[in-house]
Amino acid sequence: MAKFTKKKKGDLPAVSTASLPDIVFMLLFFFMTVTTMKDSSLMIKNELPYADQVQKLDKKDRVIYIYAGKPSPRYQDKFGTAAKIQLNDKFADVSEVANYVLAERSSKREELQNVLTTALKVDHETNMGLVSDIKQELRKVNALKINYTTKTGDAFQNLK
C-alpha cells in the first residue's frame, strides 16, 4: 500500500549557485577591460589656463607629458613652494628634462619616435622662465613639437 505524504507549505527549493562563478568571472572581465591604469599621480598643483582655440590630440601614445607647477600642499614641507618640474612620478631639475625625453623616445616604437609630441601641462601661476628653460632643454634633444595643454574657455578668465 502506498503512503501519501503531505507537502509542507512554504518550503522553497534551495537556490542554485551553479551560475555564480559565471557571473563573478563576467564582472571580473568587464572591470579588467574597462579600467585604465593611471600613468602617474600629480605631485604638483596643476590648474591649467584657459584658451579658446583648442585642438585635441588624437593619439595619446605619441605624447610625452611634462608637468610644471608648485608642489601640492602634501609635498610643500619637503620641496618648498617654488615651481617644480614633475617627470613621471618624481620631481626633476631642468637639466633632467633632456634625458627624460630621450628615455621616453627610446621606449616608444621605432615608427613613433619621429612623430612624438611633448605636452607641457603647466599651472597657470607658474612663471614663464621655467617654461622657457624647459623649451631650451627640449631644443637640445630636437624635441621641437610642443603642445601646451589648456582648458577650453575664454582666455580672459586667466586674468582673474
Side-chain angles (χ1 to χ4, degrees):
M1 188 159 223
K3 278 189 170 179
F4 294 100
T5 58
K6 195 173 186 180
K7 284 187 175 179
K8 296 178 182 175
K9 288 187 176 180
D11 281 347
L12 293 175
V15 176
S16 175
T17 58
S19 62
L20 191 61
D22 294 337
I23 294 170
V24 169
F25 279 108
M26 186 173 62
L27 285 173
L28 179 69
F29 288 131
F30 171 75
F31 287 117
M32 286 174 58
T33 55
V34 173
T35 304
T36 58
M37 299 299 279
K38 193 174 182 182
D39 291 339
S40 60
S41 59
L42 275 182
M43 299 165 57
I44 61 168
K45 179 183 168 194
N46 195 4
E47 291 182 21
L48 299 174
Y50 290 97
D52 54 0
Q53 297 180 2
V54 178
Q55 286 185 331
K56 201 168 195 174
L57 290 175
D58 294 332
K59 298 177 180 171
K60 300 285 184 187
D61 61 338
R62 300 175 182 183
V63 179
I64 299 171
Y65 292 100
I66 296 175
Y67 300 94
K70 291 180 183 176
S72 61
R74 181 177 169 195
Y75 298 101
Q76 284 183 355
D77 294 340
K78 189 173 181 181
F79 297 104
T81 56
K84 297 275 186 189
I85 300 169
Q86 181 182 347
L87 305 173
N88 284 339
D89 282 337
K90 65 176 186 173
F91 288 115
D93 196 28
V94 174
S95 60
E96 298 174 39
V97 171
N99 290 333
Y100 170 74
V101 170
L102 290 175
E104 286 290 318
R105 185 183 292 169
S106 64
S107 68
K108 302 286 183 181
R109 293 184 313 214
E110 190 170 331
E111 63 265 13
L112 297 179
Q113 290 181 357
N114 294 330
V115 294
L116 290 175
T117 302
T118 305
L120 298 177
K121 290 190 168 187
V122 180
D123 185 54
H124 72 282
E125 293 180 355
T126 304
N127 59 5
M128 196 60 194
L130 181 65
V131 176
S132 63
D133 290 344
I134 293 171
K135 287 173 59 178
Q136 290 294 329
E137 289 294 317
L138 293 175
R139 280 187 197 144
K140 289 179 184 174
V141 293
N142 203 21
L144 303 175
K145 195 171 180 182
I146 298 173
N147 177 20
Y148 295 98
T149 305
T150 63
K151 291 182 196 173
T152 304
D154 190 15
F156 288 109
Q157 291 177 336
N158 296 324
L159 300 176
K160 292 179 183 176

